Amino acid sequence: MKKSLKFLTMIAIATLVSCGGGDKKKEEPGYGKKEPVKTEKKEPASKRIELSNKGVGPITSVTLAAEVNQEMAKHGMDVYTKMCTACHKADKKFIGPAPTGILSRRSPEWVMNMILNPEEMIKQDPLAQDLLLEFNGAPMANQHLTEEEARAVLEYFRTLK
């Protein structure tokens, strides 16, 4: 009887050791198991730098003087204050992006085309589409500015640092 008891004890111990799970088993993907999700952090459109994009619209070329035209910038500030501040704050995100530093991220042509031709920009320009998504689907309203007014607003943007 003692031999049988020892034998059964040895079998029980051997069984426990072999099924103990000391080594981690490889988990195979399958039902109920979560695969790690790979997410690529994409820089927000408002922070992205795209200086070669001229946008879609009537403006194909803008030449900026080395010095800011203060008279034009003052007129641009007046137009901006009257027509744009419902959705844009000069130095912080609001309904639309802040224009401070815009010319370090966008070409002057893109900025003017966005001011003059927002509907077509949203339809055809990938950057404008990304901005629309970033700013909760609030499209920029066409204020029907003239090219001269848009150019003055652009000059005003050059003063915002």
Side-chain angles (χ1 to χ4, degrees), residues 20-34:
D23 293 49
K24 287 200 170 203
K25 296 178 183 175
K26 275 190 173 180
E27 289 189 23
E28 294 182 27
Y31 179 76
K33 302 206 176 163
K34 292 184 179 179

Side-chain angles (χ1 to χ4, degrees), residues 93-110:
K93 183 177 179 176
F94 191 50
I95 295 168
T100 299
I102 189 69
L103 293 170
S104 65
R105 298 184 309 276
R106 309 285 177 263
S107 69
E109 297 85 0
W110 190 94

Side-chain angles (χ1 to χ4, degrees), residues 67-127:
E67 297 293 318
V68 172
N69 178 329
Q70 294 300 326
E71 187 177 318
M72 187 187 296
K74 183 182 179 324
H75 177 56
M77 182 177 75
D78 293 341
V79 173
Y80 176 82
T81 301
K82 180 180 167 192
M83 305 299 286
C84 307
T85 55
C87 296
H88 297 274
K89 301 298 175 205
D91 59 351
K92 66 181 178 180
K93 183 177 179 176
F94 191 50
I95 295 168
T100 299
I102 189 69
L103 293 170
S104 65
R105 298 184 309 276
R106 309 285 177 263
S107 69
E109 297 85 0
W110 190 94
V111 173
M112 286 189 62
N113 281 322
M114 192 65 190
I115 292 169
L116 295 169
N117 194 31
E119 297 93 347
E120 287 302 311
M121 287 284 285
I122 289 169
K123 285 180 188 172
Q124 298 181 36
D125 185 79
L127 178 57

Side-chain angles (χ1 to χ4, degrees), residues 8 15 20 24 35 39-41 46 51 72-73 75 97 100 153:
L8 286 174
T15 302
K24 287 200 170 203
E35 292 290 320
T39 56
E40 184 180 312
K41 276 198 167 185
S46 59
L51 296 171
M72 187 187 296
H75 177 56
T100 299
V153 170

